[in-house]
Amino acid sequence: MSCNCGCGGKSQTKKWNLEPKFSDLKKGDKVEIVGYNEGDARYKSKLLSMGLVRGVTLEVLQIAPLGDPIEVSVLSYRLSLRRQEANVLKLKRV
């Protein structure tokens, strides 16, 4: 049985292509929030209160010279997030 992931039936799915981590995003990437990973409940609550809920699309606008933080466009505003803390987001590419 072959799969539909584009691996040619070899089951060599490139997971980073399907579920990128926030820390792996590059300038110009667009992703959709599909949920949250395990992590600090207080930080998740802060992200939720800023509008980072399931179905919201993020676009990476800028990355700081040393790589942290990352500025994203979300809803109608810009937000800067630390890479490691924002890895609590489950994402998919759009």
Side-chain angles (χ1 to χ4, degrees), residues 53-73:
V53 297
R54 185 177 298 150
V56 170
T57 301
L58 305 174
E59 180 181 1
V60 178
L61 299 175
Q62 294 182 353
I63 300 175
L66 295 177
D68 205 20
I70 296 176
E71 182 181 15
V72 296
S73 172

Side-chain angles (χ1 to χ4, degrees), residues 1-3 5-12:
M1 177 184 263
S2 69
C3 63
C5 73
C7 71
K10 298 176 186 170
S11 296
Q12 296 175 345

Side-chain angles (χ1 to χ4, degrees), residues 17-32:
N17 232 1
L18 302 174
E19 297 176 1
K21 289 178 130 183
F22 187 83
S23 59
D24 297 333
L25 297 178
K26 306 289 183 221
K27 186 175 180 178
D29 285 350
K30 288 186 180 183
V31 292
E32 180 181 329

Side-chain angles (χ1 to χ4, degrees), residues 51-94:
L52 299 178
V53 297
R54 185 177 298 150
V56 170
T57 301
L58 305 174
E59 180 181 1
V60 178
L61 299 175
Q62 294 182 353
I63 300 175
L66 295 177
D68 205 20
I70 296 176
E71 182 181 15
V72 296
S73 172
V74 56
L75 302 172
S76 62
Y77 62 94
R78 293 175 173 210
L79 180 63
S80 291
L81 298 169
R82 292 185 186 117
R83 285 181 180 262
Q84 292 306 313
E85 290 178 343
N87 274 337
V88 73
L89 295 169
K90 281 187 184 178
L91 306 169
K92 75 172 184 178
R93 294 191 188 276
V94 290

